[in-house]
Amino acid sequence: MKSILILGASRGLGRALTEAYLAQGQRVIATVRKSEDMAPLQALGAQVLQVDLADPASVSGLAWQLDGKSIALALYVAGVWDGHAAGVPPTQQQFDQVMHSNVLGFMQALPQIAPMVQEAGGVIAAFSSEMSLLGSADESAWLYRVSKAALNMAVASACQQWPGLTLLALDPGWTQTDMGGPGATVPLAESVRGLMNVLTQVQPEDRGSLWRYDGTKTELLGA
Ligand SMILES: NC(=O)c1ccc[n+]([C@@H]2O[C@H](COP(=O)([O-])OP(=O)(O)OC[C@H]3O[C@@H](n4cnc5c(N)ncnc54)[C@H](OP(=O)(O)O)[C@@H]3O)[C@@H](O)[C@H]2O)c1
């Protein structure tokens, strides 16, 4: 049986997707960065790995930990928010924290998991955001926007590297999680349902797109 790998599953969208795929009877491998977050997911039936995606040494053990697994779908969900407006310079620490979790972790994890997902004819999707798009730029959340734009480029640029792999970005919408905050408009269950529905429709020709939970799609690779 093929597995679904969810990177960043301790809470929010990663946790909800883990629960939803387990409820479908799927085999789920979920990663968390803190040891205390392992047991609740194990209790749900997931295989749980401890990986800090911002730490290359921690990510470097991923392929070894997944050895022998056939992975049909891998979701890079981990992400960190920074809401400082454009013009407010991020500190080195803020910059590193956001860029390491949102970009470096994906660039470290992708080469480790791509061969096994490609072999399974599978899909890898990175959680991006509408806020990544140049066309939707405004002054809010400067560093977060930069990080998700960089993540999009990491996805688009890697598409040629593994021709048998369907690699794309997802936008969950403004979702009711810790990150989404109290003003978020999309209930968590609706975002999860939409994302899972989108992922059942993904075809190889969708490589390099940013696909929103409601089914709307933006090409990252150009026409
Ligand atoms: N919610 C929204 O409105 C929204 C909109 C657009 C895009 N997104 C994107 O969707 C994804 C999930 O968002 P969310 O709303 O579920 O966020 P969330 O509730 O804040 O949860 C963030 C998750 O990422 C994990 N994470 C962060 N850095 C990590 C690291 N270095 N190693 C391992 N795990 C790490 C967190 O683990 P810990 O518990 O250990 O911190 C947590 O599980 C993010 O990439 C986010 O940018 C969200």
Side-chain angles (χ1 to χ4, degrees), residues 8 23 40 54 60 73 77 88 90 97 100 120 129 134 147 169 174 182 209 213 220:
S60 70
L73 172 66
V77 189
V88 179
Q97 193 196 10
H100 287 182
S129 163
L134 296 183
S147 74
W174 189 14
S209 59
Y213 80 103
L220 299 175

Side-chain angles (χ1 to χ4, degrees), residues 10-11 13 33-34 52-53 77 101 128 144 148 173 175 177:
S10 63
R11 57 195 166 94
L13 283 152
R33 65 174 148 183
K34 299 185 215 100
D52 182 347
L53 291 156
V77 189
S101 284
S128 183
Y144 181 78
K148 293 298 185 181
T175 307
T177 61

Side-chain angles (χ1 to χ4, degrees), residues 3-218:
S3 298
I4 294 174
L5 173 65
I6 301 187
L7 298 156
S10 63
R11 57 195 166 94
L13 283 152
R15 167 141 187 166
L17 284 158
T18 300
E19 286 176 12
Y21 278 121
L22 286 169
Q24 275 189 352
Q26 307 272 5
R27 181 180 293 176
V28 179
I29 307 168
T31 78
V32 298
R33 65 174 148 183
K34 299 185 215 100
S35 58
E36 63 267 29
D37 289 330
M38 297 178 80
L41 292 174
Q42 284 163 340
L44 294 172
Q47 180 188 343
V48 186
L49 307 176
Q50 189 179 1
V51 182
D52 182 347
L53 291 156
D55 176 5
S58 177
V59 182
S60 70
L62 193 56
W64 175 79
Q65 292 197 75
L66 294 169
D67 189 34
K69 297 282 190 319
S70 177
I71 296 171
L73 172 66
L75 302 177
Y76 189 92
V77 189
V80 172
W81 169 257
D82 183 285
H84 288 97
V88 179
T91 64
Q92 179 79 57
Q93 194 188 16
Q94 287 164 342
F95 184 88
D96 288 350
Q97 193 196 10
V98 172
M99 294 300 280
H100 287 182
S101 284
N102 295 9
V103 189
L104 177 65
F106 176 73
M107 295 173 82
Q108 292 278 339
L110 183 64
Q112 298 217 31
I113 60 176
M116 53 189 97
V117 181
Q118 176 170 254
E119 201 177 296
V123 173
I124 297 181
F127 275 55
S128 183
S129 163
E130 193 175 33
M131 296 175 86
S132 65
L133 299 173
L134 296 183
S136 72
D138 65 29
E139 74 292 347
S140 68
W142 198 21
L143 176 55
Y144 181 78
R145 286 176 186 277
V146 166
S147 74
K148 293 298 185 181
L151 178 66
N152 289 356
M153 182 56 85
V155 167
S157 180
C159 274
Q160 315 309 321
Q161 200 66 32
W162 293 279
L165 177 69
T166 305
L167 176 59
L168 68 151
L170 289 172
D171 173 10
W174 189 14
T175 307
Q176 293 164 359
T177 61
D178 292 342
M179 185 182 296
T185 50
V186 184
L188 182 56
E190 186 182 332
S191 178
V192 165
R193 216 170 22 250
L195 292 165
M196 289 171 74
N197 184 38
V198 158
L199 287 164
T200 60
Q201 296 173 42
V202 165
Q203 299 294 320
E205 53 272 24
D206 296 315
R207 286 149 50 86
S209 59
L210 171 66
W211 211 333
R212 203 162 181 266
Y213 80 103
D214 63 3
T216 50
K217 206 167 72 165
T218 305

